[in-house]
Amino acid sequence: MSGTTRIGDGVTLGRGVVIGAGVTIGHGAVIHDDTVIGDDVRIHDHAVIGKLPMKAKRSATTSDGVFLHPTFIEKGCTIGTGAIIYRGARLQPDVLVADLATVRERVRVGTGTIVGRGAAIENDCEVGARCKLETNSYICAYSVLEDDVFVAPCVVTTNDNYLARSSARFSRFKGVTVQQGGRIGAGATILPGRVIHRDGVVAAGSVVTKDVPERTIVAGNPARKLRDVPEDQWLENQGHG
């Protein structure tokens, strides 16, 4: 239930910031212009909300001078210490962004999703509801994660088959797609444009060079089919989805 809003010491509020009821903002937080913060949101010390992206001269995916909508942090969200949420991001209700995590511009994060400590979601990504992106996982630009996806610690996704060489890459960036219920084990690497189909599983340490079929476990470098996902592990048998 919403209560009194509390703002800590040394907080910087930009122009046009909207703050709902029952919000807590920790010491030293920076809330940039036009940010909208819903009811019962908790923002911990030194978080930065609504930051504009920086463009390096050689950046291939960050756009300079492009209009970005204000940042929206919907009701019940929690933003950890030192986390950065860029302008143009939208967090739906009850999202948790842990300490030192980063959510870039034009990213939508669905209801109840957890973005773990130090995790990074790059620009132009869609992340569904009830996902878990664990510590230091990396979601590259232009990726889509559907609902109920699990990403273990230190997973790396990629979007550039040209490894920063030749102009052809500029029109062919493509992130990864993880369909509903997909799961990726610790330290796995997913190559550009790969699709992990519904309930697909990538074993820890694998390198995924081909799409992962529905309800299939793959493992190795390059990843190959290990076996089918047991029926008791299907998302539809977990009480949702």
Side-chain angles (χ1 to χ4, degrees), residues 67-181:
F67 173 78
L68 293 171
H69 292 283
T71 303
F72 279 81
I73 311 296
E74 298 191 36
K75 65 180 182 180
C77 289
T78 300
I79 312 298
T81 297
I84 303 173
I85 313 297
Y86 279 64
R87 187 177 176 102
R90 185 171 197 128
L91 308 186
Q92 294 187 330
D94 300 320
V95 168
L96 185 149
V97 178
D99 298 348
L100 303 174
T102 302
V103 178
R104 287 281 301 274
E105 67 272 18
R106 296 183 300 274
V107 169
R108 183 190 65 84
V109 181
T111 301
T113 283
I114 297 170
V115 180
R117 186 180 188 276
I121 305 175
E122 296 285 16
N123 52 286
D124 300 281
C125 288
E126 290 280 333
V127 179
R130 300 177 302 279
C131 295
K132 293 182 180 179
L133 313 182
E134 296 211 333
T135 297
N136 292 333
S137 54
Y138 178 77
I139 308 303
C140 65
Y142 312 120
S143 292
V144 176
L145 278 57
E146 296 183 359
D147 296 344
D148 302 297
V149 163
F150 176 83
V151 178
C154 300
V155 165
V156 174
T157 61
T158 61
N159 60 16
D160 182 5
N161 273 318
Y162 293 84
L163 281 80
R165 295 282 173 84
S166 87
S167 59
R169 69 192 179 105
F170 294 113
S171 62
R172 298 187 183 182
F173 287 117
K174 189 170 185 180
V176 305
T177 299
V178 186
Q179 293 186 351
Q180 187 173 18

Side-chain angles (χ1 to χ4, degrees), residues 32 49 53-54 108 171:
H32 285 274
I49 313 295
M54 299 180 295
R108 183 190 65 84
S171 62

Side-chain angles (χ1 to χ4, degrees), residues 14-18 31-37 69-72 87:
R15 296 184 301 273
V17 171
V18 177
I31 315 296
H32 285 274
D33 296 354
D34 306 316
T35 296
V36 178
I37 299 171
H69 292 283
T71 303
F72 279 81
R87 187 177 176 102

